[in-house]
């Protein structure tokens, strides 16, 4: 009986240790869930704010705002920000980026700005290829976002040139869709 009693005591201690571990794990998971829920709500608010702030551009089909599983993506057509073949952000583009910066400055996510082009080769003294044009456009957008209060440490500029088309480059409409800036949170 003593041996059985001792074994039961050991089993009870082991079960209590297991219960304590499970309770700690549950508490951690609940805290993680609360943080993720807060993050999702913050992203939802950012999404809704961007849709409201950029309502005319979204309605005109110049900007597409998409809620992703873990973030947001803004797809901005070339004409919203740049003249053809240029990397200088135009005045309307400056206003659009000011609205974007105001909304994303407080969101703690990393922000990747990617430049995309069509497959028509560009050969200028400033841009020997579409890689340089896409990179210059992405870094120009990053620079403006940083100037407007988005922390530089959260910003990344990437050039995809013509490697990730959204549409067929065989038509003018398709090429126009492919010339874009994507801002991903």
């Amino acid at each position: 009986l003593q041996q059985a009693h001792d074994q039961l005591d050991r089993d009870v201690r082991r079960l209590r240790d297991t219960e304590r571990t499970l309770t700690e794990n549950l508490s951690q998971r609940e805290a993680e869930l609360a943080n993720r829920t807060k993050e999702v709500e913050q992203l939802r608010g950012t999404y809704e704010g961007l849709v409201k702030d950029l309502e005319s551009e979204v309605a005109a089909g110049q900007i597409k705002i998409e809620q992703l599983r873990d973030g947001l993506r803004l797809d901005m057509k070339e004409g919203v920000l740049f003249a053809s073949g240029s990397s200088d952000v135009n005045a309307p583009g400056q206003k659009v980026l000011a609205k974007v910066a105001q909304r994303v400055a407080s969101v703690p996510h990393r922000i990747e700005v990617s430049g995309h082009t069509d497959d028509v080769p560009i050969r200028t003294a400033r841009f020997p290829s579409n890689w340089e044009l896409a990179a210059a456009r992405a870094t120009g957008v990053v620079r403006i976002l940083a100037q407007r209060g988005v922390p530089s440490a959260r910003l990344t500029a990437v050039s995809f040139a013509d490697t990730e088309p959204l549409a067929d480059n065989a038509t003018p409409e398709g090429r126009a869709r492919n010339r874009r800036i994507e801002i991903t949170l």
Side-chain angles (χ1 to χ4, degrees), residues 53-73:
D53 292 348
L54 303 171
E55 183 177 9
S56 62
E57 292 86 357
V58 170
Q62 297 173 318
I63 297 176
K64 180 181 171 188
I65 304 172
E66 187 177 7
Q67 234 175 339
L68 306 173
R69 183 171 176 239
D70 289 331
L72 299 174
R73 180 174 44 233

Side-chain angles (χ1 to χ4, degrees), residues 106-165:
S106 62
V107 178
H109 292 77
R110 296 204 42 79
I111 300 168
E112 180 181 282
V113 178
S114 56
H116 300 265
T117 66
D118 58 28
D119 68 350
V120 175
I122 185 170
R123 287 189 181 86
T124 66
R126 187 169 177 203
F127 306 115
S129 76
N130 283 333
W131 286 103
E132 286 85 4
L133 174 61
R137 287 179 169 183
T139 56
V141 170
V142 163
R143 189 177 313 108
I144 290 168
L145 293 175
Q147 289 169 350
R148 298 287 185 158
V150 178
S152 297
R154 292 185 16 233
L155 293 166
T156 305
V158 179
S159 173
F160 286 100
D162 62 351
T163 64
E164 293 189 354

